[in-house]
Amino acid sequence: MKRELLTGLVQLAVTVAVVVVVVLLILVPFALSQAEPMAVLSGFLLGPFSSLRHVGNIAEVATPIVLTGLAATVIFRSGLFNLGMEGSFFLGGLSATAAALLLPLPDFAAPLLAVTAGAVVGSLACVIPGYLRLRYDAPEMVTSLVLNYAILFAGVFVLNYFLRDPAAGALLSYKLPADARLERLLAGTRLNSGAIIAVVACIAGGIWLYRTRSGLNLRIIGLSRGFSDHLGLPFTRLVMSAQLAGGLIAGMAGAIEVLGLYPRFSWTQLPGLGWTGIIVAILARENPFLIIPAALFLGYLQVGADFLSRGIGIPVEVAGVVTAAIMLAMTATAIFQHPSLLRLIRNLRQKEALAP
Amino acid sequence: MNPFVDAIFDPALFATLLRVMTPLLLAALGVMISDRAGVLNIGMEGMMLVGALTGVLVSAWSGSAWFGLFGAIAVCGAIGCLFAVVVNNLGAHLIITGIALNVAAAAGTTLGLFFATGDKGMSGALKSGVLPNVKLPGIDAIPVLGTILSGHHILTYVALIAVPLVSMMMARTPFGLHIRAVGVDPKSAATAGIPVARVQMTALALSGICGGLAGAYLSMGYVSWFAQDMTAGRGFIAIAIEVMGMGTAWGALAASVVIAIAETLAITMQSLGLPNELMQMIPYVVPIVVLTFWSSRKLRLAKLAA
């Protein structure tokens, strides 16, 4: 037990060190190119902690990407490179809006039913590429990439022809009924009950993946198809249920995002939080328990960028560049499987084994 | 003649077809070269965005659209080299690197546009150049054929000429052989003395050059400005086209013609009053249908052979 903890700590330390170096490598030259370098650095790095409201903002930004990160984790663990999370997220938000506006939902259960509708319809974006892969051997990565855009335009069509509020001016849906919206947790922020769902989902996902038989089976299938076939595991059924689970989670994330944050549905572009989910999953090493800190960290970067954009007028996209660099560094085997690091870990384990 | 036949022989429709096909074909060729070298360039979408922005910025600063084009090619080629370094020397995951490139390009081009113009959405304030259309001497004078074949954008001709060139390079040159060998099995290629990392870097640089051309076409031909996320998933369609074209240059041409026909039909039907958004879906749905159909056929044939 102890040696596991120790090696885990070494890996965590390396991860944190790499992230810090990457953030500084990008931020410092960027800050120096601006008029007030110190203001940029301190605004970005310290701004998010300057008040309780900003800390609440971090949690608010982290909520959807915890869920899309969990969706990406479940799907990647099955061994398919299905990138439908982005489409599921969009479709989930749209379908929850449609359910809240068009269906006669009973008041007390409206949020629950709308989120369920979002999850179920949203899951299609992950289920279809998965099904086409398993049934017809169509490459899931390519089909999921283009399907995301097909879904986007279908969604804008539905928004424009069925949900659009003609009085709103821009392309916006009707106002979401107050009963269907999620409850706010912290005054002054948009932190809502979706955050609780996200945390519970992550813990449940972690327990499922590491403590149940079907979770173990899924991990085996993702690691080695051949071995799983030798064990006689039902490949198609398990992989398909992983796509379904991932799609449901990503769809739910979209529904929670819309019902929790916005008075109306307004997405006419892919919101990009499905992609961020992939980054979260990679940062968390596809471990559901680590998703929450990973998402909080990306949320922190986002809030820092927001802080900059409000204070100094630098666009929030700074966060995007930093996140992309972190994404690269996290998969760099030259760092994380460097011989000296592996040797260090092995030595730690051996010392532990020699001790009485 | 009936209106349908008229429409088909309408030179304007053919011109639209070439207009929508050019960026897809250029990008698909780039994806193809990288894929055959075993380093599939998922970052094509991002490269196109960077190419489009670089073209606009450089041409606005230098006052020449040609400098813009060369800037786009140079920057995207350099990104291709960087891609190769990250994948081969840092050992980063190939697909993740591509996705990261897309994320970084979407954010980075917005930042770049903001610092150049003070606007996050569009480069309308910049006076950027447009690459010219070319009248083919001789062919131009022929009555009907001339209007169909001549007078298109220069990069359209570049794309069309690139197809036989790339095909020849892949099939007939030692370098093309190296690319294919590395793509099939890098270890055997290395044993045979082929410098795997260098071949992959060159392939990704070529892929980047194609991406730069495609991007430059979008912002200096298709339209005359840069807008945030103006590629709108064309880089991903290019990947689908490459897979549909089964990894050959001529296949990529055929597949991009299919997608371009779908998109042209969509544009034409919009003018007939059909919902614009549903028509926009078509070029994204066609690859899914075609890929599914072909994969299932391949699967069936494999089963028959077994």
Side-chain angles (χ1 to χ4, degrees), chain A residues 30 34 76 81 83 128 132 134-139 141-143 145-147 149-151 153-154 156-157 160-161 171 269 275 278-279 282 313-321 323-325 327-329 331-335, chain B residues 40 42 45 86 89-93 95-101 103-104 106-108 110-111 114-115 120 228-229 232-233 236-237 239-240 243 273-278 280-281 283-285 287-288 291-292 295-297 299:
Chain A
F30 176 76
Q34 300 297 313
F76 291 168
F81 224 93
L83 303 176
I128 292 173
L132 294 180
L134 295 172
R135 177 78 174 76
Y136 300 108
D137 207 29
M141 191 179 72
V142 180
T143 50
L145 278 176
V146 280
L147 184 64
Y149 281 89
I151 285 175
F153 290 116
V156 176
F157 168 73
N160 200 358
Y161 283 77
L171 183 48
Q269 294 280 336
W275 294 122
I278 297 174
I279 306 175
I282 290 164
I314 293 168
V316 288
E317 275 77 10
V318 179
V321 178
T323 344
M327 192 170 174
L328 282 185
T331 67
T333 47
I335 302 171
Chain B
L40 177 64
I42 292 276
E45 173 88 1
V86 168
N89 298 27
L90 270 181
H93 189 283
I95 305 298
I96 302 293
T97 308
I99 296 176
L101 175 54
V103 172
T110 308
L111 274 182
F114 174 78
F115 286 122
K120 271 176 65 173
Q228 196 178 19
D229 284 326
F236 298 131
I237 296 192
I239 294 167
V243 180
L274 288 169
N276 172 6
E277 296 86 357
L278 287 185
Q280 276 180 301
M281 271 178 77
Y284 298 90
V285 174
I288 300 176
L291 280 180
T292 305
S295 309
S296 76
R297 189 165 156 265
L299 201 66

Side-chain angles (χ1 to χ4, degrees), chain A residues 20-182:
Chain A
V20 169
V21 168
V22 168
V23 171
L24 291 182
L25 268 183
I26 296 199
L27 271 191
V28 170
F30 176 76
L32 289 179
S33 74
Q34 300 297 313
E36 296 165 89
M38 280 323 289
V40 172
L41 274 184
S42 69
F44 193 98
L45 297 177
L46 303 177
F49 297 121
S50 60
S51 75
L52 180 63
R53 197 163 63 80
H54 285 112
V55 176
N57 285 339
I58 296 180
E60 163 204 324
V61 175
T63 302
I65 56 180
V66 162
L67 287 170
T68 51
L70 182 62
T73 298
V74 172
I75 287 175
F76 291 168
R77 284 281 184 166
S78 75
L80 288 201
F81 224 93
N82 184 343
L83 303 176
M85 287 79 73
E86 184 70 46
S88 284
F89 187 83
F90 175 86
L91 200 53
L94 179 82
S95 310
T97 312
L101 289 177
L102 303 178
L103 298 181
L105 303 177
D107 288 349
F108 62 94
L112 183 67
L113 291 175
V115 169
T116 310
V120 170
V121 181
S123 69
L124 284 177
C126 288
V127 167
I128 292 173
Y131 176 78
L132 294 180
R133 172 56 189 253
L134 295 172
R135 177 78 174 76
Y136 300 108
D137 207 29
E140 78 280 0
M141 191 179 72
V142 180
T143 50
S144 62
L145 278 176
V146 280
L147 184 64
N148 286 342
Y149 281 89
I151 285 175
L152 167 67
F153 290 116
V156 176
F157 168 73
V158 172
L159 172 61
N160 200 358
Y161 283 77
F162 299 102
L163 306 176
R164 180 174 191 168
D165 183 354
L171 183 48
L172 299 169
S173 76
Y174 286 100
K175 258 204 161 117
L176 287 163
D179 294 324
R181 304 188 55 198
L182 300 177

